[in-house]
Amino acid sequence: EVQLLESGGGLLQPGGSLRLSCAASGFTFSSYAMSWVRQAPGKGLEWVSGISGSGDTAYFADSVKGRFTISRDNSKNTLYLQMKSLRAEDTAVYHCAKGDIPGFYGYYGLDVWGQGTTVTVSS
Amino acid sequence: DIQLTQSPSFLSASVGDRVTITCRANQGLNSYLAWYQQKPGKAPKLLIYAESTLQSGVPSRFSGSGSGTEFTLTISSLQPEDFASYYCQQLNSYPLTFGGGTKVEIK
């Protein structure tokens, strides 16, 4: 069964840092682009970042550019999101998700999602 | 960045109704448009990809259409389990973006 399981969320103060993890299983992890998508309380979905299967190419939403980095360890089938200089507006449930076909460009949807991990930024 | 404008943001409908949700992009998407369903407290679920292709296991009452910059998700006969939020997403270019969402509630 294809599965994604996020971890690492928590409560922290503005300006803090946190690293989220996403453990993948049931598919050839290194072949697929992965994304992080977040949802603030009562709000819609926001794509945060994506990374190629090899890990050599990544993109970010303007709202997190320069503060967040994305990486992956294909030997451990794990995706990461390193978050720094956190703000109250980063409070959200963070989901990792998998592209539906192999490759970083030209996939058509995010077909598998984790249940999410909650990040709360508050003083 | 590509902007997606989804409408309506909220709609109230009855079981059996035909429901249409629209997603407009500020530039062409080359059919790289997906639709998701999300229920409270759950992860989003991919319904339709490549503008009109039904994801495996999704009931045939869901359909997608459109071209260029305007896209629609249609539910031909709304069922109780369809009351949820729906989002469009463009995958034509990075950064990927979502529409603002449509919440479908019971009338």
Side-chain angles (χ1 to χ4, degrees), chain B:
Chain B
D1 298 0
I2 296 177
Q3 314 295 328
L4 297 180
T5 303
Q6 203 173 323
S7 61
S9 55
F10 174 88
L11 74 87
S12 182
S14 300
V15 172
D17 283 353
R18 181 181 182 89
V19 166
T20 299
I21 299 168
T22 299
C23 179
R24 290 186 175 87
N26 62 350
Q27 58 184 274
L29 301 183
N30 299 306
S31 298
Y32 286 98
L33 190 284
W35 290 96
Y36 300 85
Q37 177 192 66
Q38 187 183 32
K39 296 182 179 179
K42 301 294 187 181
K45 172 187 174 183
L46 178 64
L47 293 178
I48 288 170
Y49 61 93
E51 183 180 295
S52 61
T53 303
L54 215 59
Q55 176 72 346
S56 175
V58 174
S60 59
R61 63 182 179 272
F62 291 91
S63 64
S65 65
S67 61
T69 61
E70 185 160 331
F71 307 89
T72 58
L73 170 69
T74 300
I75 309 172
S76 60
S77 178
L78 200 64
Q79 297 303 299
E81 60 268 31
D82 301 336
F83 291 94
S85 293
Y86 294 85
Y87 296 90
C88 57
Q89 182 197 24
Q90 68 82 18
L91 298 102
N92 182 68
S93 62
Y94 286 97
L96 308 185
T97 47
F98 287 92
T102 296
K103 186 173 184 179
V104 178
E105 291 200 342
I106 302 173
K107 183 181 286 183

Side-chain angles (χ1 to χ4, degrees), chain A residues 33 35 37 39 43-47 50 59-62 95 100 104-111 113-115, chain B residues 1 31-34 36 38 41-46 48-50 55 87 89 91 94-100:
Chain A
S35 283
V37 176
Q39 187 168 35
K43 303 296 184 181
L45 301 174
E46 181 187 15
W47 182 87
Y59 291 93
F60 298 88
D62 289 345
H95 298 273
D100 60 346
F104 191 40
Y105 301 101
Y107 62 93
Y108 292 98
L110 300 174
D111 66 343
W113 294 65
Q115 283 304 304
Chain B
D1 298 0
S31 298
Y32 286 98
L33 190 284
Y36 300 85
Q38 187 183 32
K42 301 294 187 181
K45 172 187 174 183
L46 178 64
I48 288 170
Y49 61 93
Q55 176 72 346
Y87 296 90
Q89 182 197 24
L91 298 102
Y94 286 97
L96 308 185
T97 47
F98 287 92

Side-chain angles (χ1 to χ4, degrees), chain A residues 7-9 18-22 36 79-81 83 94 117 119:
Chain A
S7 61
L18 197 63
R19 189 178 81 160
L20 306 183
S21 299
C22 169
W36 286 99
L79 173 73
Y80 302 101
L81 184 68
M83 305 184 293
Y94 285 74
T117 187
V119 174

Side-chain angles (χ1 to χ4, degrees), chain A residues 72-87:
Chain A
R72 62 194 298 161
D73 185 336
N74 288 341
S75 69
K76 296 181 178 180
N77 288 348
T78 303
L79 173 73
Y80 302 101
L81 184 68
Q82 178 70 53
M83 305 184 293
K84 298 180 179 180
S85 303
L86 282 160
R87 307 166 180 166

